[in-house]
C-alpha cells in the first residue's frame, strides 16, 4: 500500500508560501508557510501533520492491541505534541485518555507500551517517544 501527498512552494523561505494536497483530498491545497511553522500563522505545518499522523497511528495500534486481547475501548483520545528544536524533531509526546471496560491497568499499560514501540509511525520516527496515560475502566 502506498499513500502520497504533494507539496508546492513559491518564493523565499520567509515571504513565500506553499500548499499541501493529499490524494484522498482531505488536504486540498492546505496552506503552509514560515509563519504557520515558526509563528502562529493560519495554516498547517510539517510538525502538526506528523503529530496528527503519530496520534492517529498510535491510537489505531492501541485499539488493535486491545481488540486482539478481547477488549473494546469505549473511547481512546490521544494528543501528540511534536517538538522541533534547532532544526531537528527532538521528541514526540503522546498523552492518552482511555476508557476501557473490564481491563486491569497493568494489562492496559502493556497494550499501550506495545503500541508506543510498534505503531508504524513510531517505528519511522528517529526521536524520543514518550507516552503517558489516564485510565478508567
Amino acid at each position: 500500500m502506498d499513500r502520497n501527498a504533494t507539496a508546492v512552494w513559491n518564493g523565499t523561505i520567509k515571504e513565500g508560501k506553499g500548499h499541501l494536497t493529499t490524494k484522498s483530498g482531505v488536504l486540498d491545497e492546505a496552506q503552509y508557510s514560515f509563519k504557520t511553522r515558526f509563528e502562529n500563522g493560519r495554516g498547517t505545518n510539517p510538525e502538526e501533520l506528523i503529530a496528527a499522523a503519530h496520534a492517529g497511528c498510535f491510537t489505531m495500534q492501541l485499539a488493535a492491541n486491545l481488540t486482539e486481547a478481547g477488549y473494546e475501548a469505549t473511547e481512546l483520545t490521544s494528543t501528540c505534541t511534536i517538538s522541533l528544536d534547532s532544526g531537528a524533531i527532538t521528541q514526540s509526546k503522546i498523552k492518552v485518555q482511555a476508557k476501557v471496560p473490564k481491563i486491569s491497568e497493568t494489562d492496559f499499560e502493556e497494550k499501550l507500551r506495545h503500541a508506543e514501540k510498534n505503531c508504524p509511525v513510531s517505528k519511522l520516527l528517529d526521536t524520543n517517544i514518550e507516552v503517558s496515560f489516564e485510565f478508567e475502566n
Side-chain angles (χ1 to χ4, degrees):
M1 169 181 4
D2 292 331
R3 302 287 189 217
N4 68 59
T6 302
V8 175
W9 188 266
N10 302 105
T12 65
I13 187 65
K14 283 198 172 183
E15 290 79 26
K17 61 183 176 180
H19 59 82
L20 303 164
T21 301
T22 57
K23 185 176 181 179
S24 69
V26 170
L27 296 179
D28 184 14
E29 297 190 6
Q31 175 184 312
Y32 78 116
S33 66
F34 184 89
K35 288 183 179 183
T36 66
R37 191 167 193 187
F38 300 108
E39 298 172 10
N40 288 318
R42 185 160 170 78
T44 192
N45 59 70
E47 292 72 32
E48 179 179 69
L49 297 171
I50 293 168
H54 201 192
C57 183
F58 168 85
T59 305
M60 287 182 77
Q61 181 69 58
L62 179 55
N65 294 349
L66 292 166
T67 300
E68 187 175 288
Y71 300 104
E72 182 177 340
T74 304
E75 184 171 88
L76 300 171
T77 303
S78 302
T79 303
C80 180
T81 302
I82 295 290
S83 298
L84 180 68
D85 186 29
S86 301
I89 291 175
T90 58
Q91 187 171 55
S92 179
K93 279 186 168 179
I94 300 175
K95 183 172 181 176
V96 180
Q97 293 180 318
K99 294 178 185 170
V100 185
K102 303 176 187 170
I103 190 172
S104 71
E105 187 169 334
T106 302
D107 200 17
F108 174 78
E109 187 169 6
E110 177 186 304
K111 307 307 180 224
L112 176 129
R113 297 297 168 209
H114 179 275
E116 176 182 17
K117 301 279 187 244
N118 292 291
C119 88
V121 174
S122 288
K123 289 180 177 182
L124 175 69
L125 293 175
D126 183 20
T127 195
N128 179 43
I129 298 171
E130 289 183 22
V131 178
S132 62
F133 66 94
E134 294 176 12
F135 169 80
E136 68 179 73
N137 58 7

